[in-house]
Amino acid sequence: MTMPDRAGRQAIIERFMKEKGLKSTRQRHLILETFFQLDGHFSVEQLWARVREHDRRVSVATVYRTMKLLAESGLAHAQNFGDGQTRYEPAIGREHHDHLICTRCGTIIEFENDRIEQLQDLVAKKHGFRVTSHKMELYGLCRNCQKAVDSGQV
């Protein structure tokens, strides 16, 4: 599925907000546009900092509520990579991918591997299981942190 353009994203979120009885506001649209301009996995606080570059009056609570709406509408995925902080990434217009997470510096590397996907399907089939969704997160040390640890820079 391709990522909807700006008008398509706005239509999705406006339809969702109407179904929920919520108002469409300028601040919500600013948060939405800022979120889709970012690349990677962002916390609410990181997104809030970017939004405030355009409008200092936007509160962190508004960003939290808006990101919850984006996740509920299917436009964003909420991810927790084991550090207690929720990060968001666009949910549509992207191929399925998995994550490598550095437990030292927090770097998140996305990867795709058809062989892993096929093996997961085989395991599920063997057990008579129908997979409806999944995520794979591998935790360890990135290349830079391995070098730092190996050289005693703990």
Side-chain angles (χ1 to χ4, degrees):
M1 178 188 304
T2 60
M3 174 64 75
D5 63 8
R6 180 179 184 180
R9 290 190 304 262
Q10 285 181 343
I12 291 169
I13 197 69
E14 285 175 14
R15 184 174 52 246
F16 180 79
M17 287 189 299
K18 185 176 181 180
E19 289 171 5
K20 296 287 186 181
L22 302 168
K23 292 181 182 178
S24 178
T25 68
R26 182 190 51 75
Q27 288 186 342
R28 283 188 178 140
H29 287 289
L30 174 60
I31 294 164
L32 177 76
E33 287 307 309
T34 304
F35 172 69
F36 284 106
Q37 290 170 3
L38 299 175
D39 187 33
H41 307 83
F42 284 84
S43 69
V44 166
E45 290 79 11
Q46 291 169 317
L47 178 58
W48 179 51
R50 292 287 182 94
V51 167
R52 286 178 52 91
E53 291 173 7
H54 303 281
D55 185 346
R56 307 267 322 148
R57 297 170 297 179
V58 176
S59 73
V60 71
T62 299
V63 178
Y64 272 104
R65 285 191 302 269
T66 302
M67 291 313 299
K68 184 178 180 195
L69 288 173
L70 286 177
E72 289 175 4
S73 72
L75 287 172
H77 282 303
Q79 305 263 358
N80 190 317
F81 295 115
D83 61 359
Q85 186 172 42
T86 301
R87 291 181 180 82
Y88 293 88
E89 66 179 337
I92 55 178
R94 301 185 69 203
E95 294 296 320
H96 169 76
H97 60 274
D98 298 303
H99 299 96
L100 300 170
I101 299 104
C102 182
T103 56
R104 185 169 184 261
C105 72
T107 294
I108 301 168
I109 301 167
E110 295 180 352
F111 72 95
E112 298 173 19
N113 187 298
D114 290 337
R115 187 162 177 227
I116 290 173
E117 298 300 318
Q118 292 168 355
L119 288 171
Q120 290 172 151
D121 291 341
L122 287 173
V123 169
K125 185 176 180 179
K126 178 181 174 185
H127 294 280
F129 192 82
R130 182 184 313 160
V131 175
T132 56
S133 70
H134 80 279
K135 64 179 181 175
M136 178 183 285
E137 299 169 357
L138 302 173
Y139 296 86
L141 298 176
C142 68
R143 182 175 291 126
N144 291 338
C145 289
Q146 289 176 59
K147 289 178 185 174
V149 168
D150 291 347
S151 68
Q153 298 175 2
V154 180

